[in-house]
Amino acid sequence: MKKLILLSFIWFSIFSYTQTKERDNRLVGSWQGSEKGNQEGVAKYWVQQRYNDGTFLLLFVAVPDGEEGSAVVDKGEWWTEDGKYYELHYNTKFIDTYFYEILDDQHVKFRLVQSSRDFNNSEYEFIDTKLIDGLDYHNSRD
């Protein structure tokens, strides 16, 4: 009986962990974006690779007016649900939430719903532009 309970617990744990989150596959690929003016005195630039397994790699550069910029490389997990895009950043463990709208095959508009960071702008939005279609280096390394 103990073995049955233990096996049931292990099976339930594995099943719960492997449940896949919903993902809009139109967001998979290499994307770039930039924005200035959504946060006073800071320009931002980024390149992000979203993989079809739900992970991402992000290179993010922030340049305050008149100062030298700083770059951050971040990894995380992304998914979509009910018209919202979610991004879990592994380095901070925070989840950013955006409404997203596919404008065409090459452009996606994001509007902030919730973030752990202080944006000082309730209307924070940006557009990502697709760089490379069909690149999937992450899953072809095996």
Side-chain angles (χ1 to χ4, degrees), residues 4-142:
L4 181 60
I5 292 171
L6 179 61
L7 286 174
S8 297
F9 177 74
I10 291 171
W11 180 83
F12 179 75
S13 298
I14 290 170
F15 178 74
S16 313
Y17 180 75
T18 58
Q19 282 183 330
T20 58
K21 293 180 179 167
E22 181 181 324
R23 282 188 273 292
D24 187 333
N25 287 326
R26 297 174 294 178
L27 299 175
V28 171
S30 297
W31 298 82
Q32 72 175 2
S34 65
E35 63 91 355
K36 185 174 182 176
N38 275 318
Q39 282 186 285
E40 255 183 66
V42 179
K44 299 175 191 169
Y45 308 90
W46 59 89
V47 176
Q48 183 174 39
Q49 176 68 38
R50 290 188 202 98
Y51 299 103
N52 59 8
D53 67 357
T55 59
F56 70 82
L57 182 60
L58 173 67
L59 172 61
F60 181 85
V61 177
V63 183
D65 285 345
E67 296 182 31
E68 198 170 303
S70 62
V72 173
V73 175
D74 195 3
K75 293 180 182 180
E77 185 178 338
W78 70 275
W79 67 95
T80 57
E81 186 177 316
D82 298 327
K84 293 180 185 170
Y85 171 83
Y86 298 86
E87 224 173 52
L88 167 63
H89 297 266
Y90 290 160
N91 66 348
T92 62
K93 308 295 186 239
F94 293 129
I95 298 174
D96 294 335
T97 307
Y98 299 88
F99 287 115
Y100 75 98
E101 176 185 357
I102 305 293
L103 301 176
D104 58 40
D105 289 345
Q106 301 297 312
H107 300 93
V108 180
K109 183 177 183 176
F110 294 89
R111 185 170 41 92
L112 183 67
V113 174
Q114 182 177 6
S115 177
S116 58
R117 288 164 272 190
D118 183 15
F119 282 89
N120 296 324
N121 183 349
S122 61
E123 302 296 318
Y124 183 77
E125 61 183 33
F126 58 88
I127 294 177
D128 273 2
T129 301
K130 196 155 197 178
L131 288 174
I132 301 170
D133 199 20
L135 177 65
D136 197 3
Y137 175 77
H138 178 70
N139 289 329
S140 65
R141 290 182 287 176
D142 300 326

